[in-house]
């Protein structure tokens, strides 16, 4: 086990979390919420600890399977511990276990929440929740691979340990470059969703729901979630993008390089689409008596199917 490299990688992760916390810190100032300490304290702690870990010297810079799994397991624990501090210091969730639950739910994209009323919660805290679920959506270790200054082929072990799904592999000969491609696709799709949502709902809401939808966790900033807007447009857009973010990103890469035929031949994609369509139609027929017509029932059933499947 290459413990030195594992801890050095964890140090990089802490730097990413510190940088991420700056975003809600800025929003707390903009909205004059007087909880800047809730973000400043963890940022300073993360910087100090990450600097300490960065001084670890290791000659062996190779990752193996056990190193990958150890890094992933330790990363989720450490990130959730520090990520819970804004909830505790802002007194949104003063109980440590509640705060840890909320943060771990975000980073693991589980989407379960213990906050009683999100509408009564600080906007900057809600943004932090959305950011945890967005970063967890692609995987923070994938992000680290993308920025690591090395192209060791064994980094694929770290990628496999982090990622879920039937198949994870390299898109190019260099694992770090593959990770960069994945994140660029992820960021691009998130931005497109943000723009589309901003046509109908406030910018802050669009940003949060774009992050949350991309992460496939579903953290909401209103007690009624998407139903708050009572908008067919918003429901349809989010339904489509929930489905999109549930697709293997390798398929998007194939489309980007013009290999559309190979992308469409993906058995994973075809089965995923088939289950979604059948589920939506069957649920629509089953709930038809609750709505005015079949298309309204289908709109609601497809939203639920897409949310659950992703």
């Amino acid at each position: 086990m290459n413990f030195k490299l594992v801890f050095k990688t964890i140090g990089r992760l802490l730097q990413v979390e510190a940088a991420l916390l700056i975003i809600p810190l800025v929003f707390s100032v903009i909205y004059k919420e007087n909880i800047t300490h809730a973000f400043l304290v963890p940022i300073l702690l993360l910087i100090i600890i990450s600097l300490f870990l960065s001084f670890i010297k290791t000659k062996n810079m190779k990752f193996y399977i056990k190193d990958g799994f150890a890094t992933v397991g330790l990363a989720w624990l450490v990130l959730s511990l520090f990520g819970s501090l804004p909830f505790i210091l802002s007194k949104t969730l003063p109980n440590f276990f509640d705060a840890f639950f909320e943060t771990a739910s975000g980073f693991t994209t589980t989407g379960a929440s213990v906050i009683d009323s999100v509408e009564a919660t600080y906007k900057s805290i809600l943004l932090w929740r959305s950011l945890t679920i967005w970063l967890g959506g692609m995987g923070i270790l994938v992000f680290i691979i993308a920025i690591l200054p090395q192209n060791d082929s064994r980094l694929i072990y770290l990628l496999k340990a982090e990622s879920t799904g039937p198949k994870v592999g390299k898109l190019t000969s260099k694992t770090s470059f593959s990770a960069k491609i994945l994140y660029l696709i992820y960021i691009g799709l998130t931005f497109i969703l943000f723009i589309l949502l901003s046509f109908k709902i406030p910018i802050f809401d669009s940003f949060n729901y774009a992050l949350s939808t991309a992460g496939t966790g579903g953290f909401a900033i209103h007690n009624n979630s998407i139903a708050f807007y009572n908008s067919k447009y918003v429901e349809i857009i989010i339904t489509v993008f929930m489905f999109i973010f549930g697709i293997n990103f390798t398929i998007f890469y194939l489309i980007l390089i013009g290999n559309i035929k190979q992308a469409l031949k993906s058995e994973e994609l075809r089965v995923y689409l088939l289950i979604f369509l059948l589920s939506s139609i069957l649920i629509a027929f089953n709930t038809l008596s609750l709505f005015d017509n079949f298309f309204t029932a289908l709109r609601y059933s497809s939203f639920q199917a897409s949310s659950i499947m992703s």
Side-chain angles (χ1 to χ4, degrees), residues 134 138 171 177-193 214 241 244-245 247-257:
W134 182 81
M138 177 57 73
L171 305 180
F177 188 61
S178 296
K180 286 184 176 71
I181 293 172
L182 289 173
Y183 249 100
L184 285 173
I185 294 171
Y186 189 56
I187 293 170
L189 288 172
T190 304
F191 181 73
I192 292 171
L193 175 56
F241 274 86
I244 288 174
F245 281 108
I247 296 174
N248 189 324
F249 275 30
T250 303
I251 294 170
F252 293 125
Y253 174 71
L254 291 173
I255 294 172
L256 283 175
I257 63 174

Side-chain angles (χ1 to χ4, degrees), residues 68 72 138 141-143 145 154-164 168-171 175 178-179 182:
V72 171
M138 177 57 73
L141 267 299
V142 180
F143 178 81
I145 293 172
R154 292 184 180 86
L155 284 175
I156 190 64
Y157 296 136
L158 195 59
L159 185 63
K160 288 182 176 180
E162 167 71 344
S163 304
T164 57
V168 176
K170 293 190 290 182
L171 305 180
T175 308
S178 296
L182 289 173

Side-chain angles (χ1 to χ4, degrees), residues 28-43:
S28 70
V29 174
I30 293 173
Y31 287 106
K32 300 178 181 179
E33 293 178 328
N34 296 320
I35 56 166
T36 54
H37 66 285
F39 302 105
L40 283 173
V41 171
I43 287 172

Side-chain angles (χ1 to χ4, degrees), residues 15-303:
Q15 291 172 5
V16 172
E17 187 170 29
L20 206 63
L21 279 163
I22 295 174
I23 300 174
L25 170 63
V26 171
F27 273 81
S28 70
V29 174
I30 293 173
Y31 287 106
K32 300 178 181 179
E33 293 178 328
N34 296 320
I35 56 166
T36 54
H37 66 285
F39 302 105
L40 283 173
V41 171
I43 287 172
L44 291 174
L45 285 173
L46 287 165
I47 291 174
I48 292 170
I49 296 173
S50 64
L51 285 175
F52 174 76
L53 293 175
S54 68
F55 286 117
I56 297 177
K57 295 181 179 180
T58 175
K59 295 181 179 179
N60 183 8
M61 294 297 291
K62 297 184 181 297
F63 260 107
Y64 297 92
I65 296 177
K66 57 185 178 181
D67 301 320
F69 280 101
T71 303
V72 171
L74 186 59
W76 291 129
L77 177 62
V78 172
L79 291 174
S80 296
L81 284 171
F82 285 103
S84 65
L85 290 179
F87 293 102
I88 297 171
L89 296 175
S90 67
K91 297 183 180 179
T92 300
L93 294 170
N95 182 283
F96 166 75
F97 295 103
D98 288 342
F100 184 81
F101 179 97
E102 195 78 16
T103 312
S105 177
F107 279 125
T108 58
T109 71
T110 305
S113 178
V114 293
I115 296 179
D116 293 330
S117 175
V118 290
E119 291 179 356
T121 305
Y122 295 110
K123 287 184 179 294
S124 56
I125 292 295
L126 293 178
L127 180 58
W128 173 235
R129 287 168 82 235
S130 299
L131 284 166
T132 61
I133 217 164
W134 182 81
L135 196 61
M138 177 57 73
I140 192 167
L141 267 299
V142 180
F143 178 81
I144 288 302
I145 293 172
I147 65 174
L148 279 173
Q150 57 177 307
N151 290 309
D152 183 7
S153 61
R154 292 184 180 86
L155 284 175
I156 190 64
Y157 296 136
L158 195 59
L159 185 63
K160 288 182 176 180
E162 167 71 344
S163 304
T164 57
K167 183 179 180 181
V168 176
K170 293 190 290 182
L171 305 180
T172 68
S173 60
K174 297 180 179 180
T175 308
S176 60
F177 188 61
S178 296
K180 286 184 176 71
I181 293 172
L182 289 173
Y183 249 100
L184 285 173
I185 294 171
Y186 189 56
I187 293 170
L189 288 172
T190 304
F191 181 73
I192 292 171
L193 175 56
F194 164 69
I195 294 299
L196 291 173
L197 289 176
S198 65
F199 290 138
K200 287 290 183 179
I201 61 178
I203 296 296
F204 179 80
D205 295 28
S206 300
F207 190 36
N208 274 273
Y209 280 116
L211 296 172
S212 186
T213 302
T216 70
F219 273 156
I221 60 172
H222 294 290
N223 295 333
N224 292 334
S225 191
I226 302 302
F228 171 84
Y229 302 106
N230 192 27
S231 169
K232 293 180 183 179
Y233 173 85
V234 174
E235 290 174 16
I236 292 171
I237 290 296
I238 290 185
T239 297
V240 171
F241 274 86
M242 283 191 294
F243 179 84
I244 288 174
F245 281 108
I247 296 174
N248 189 324
F249 275 30
T250 303
I251 294 170
F252 293 125
Y253 174 71
L254 291 173
I255 294 172
L256 283 175
I257 63 174
N259 203 340
I260 299 175
K261 288 185 178 179
Q262 186 178 345
L264 295 177
K265 287 180 180 178
S266 169
E267 185 177 359
E268 178 185 342
L269 176 62
R270 285 182 291 178
V271 172
Y272 177 60
L273 179 60
L274 181 62
I275 294 174
F276 170 71
L277 291 175
L278 288 176
S279 299
S280 299
I281 294 170
L282 289 173
I283 295 171
F285 275 117
N286 189 50
T287 59
L288 187 56
S289 61
L290 302 174
F291 303 99
D292 297 331
N293 55 68
F294 175 75
F295 293 104
T296 301
L298 183 62
R299 192 177 89 237
Y300 283 100
S301 65
S302 60
F303 183 95

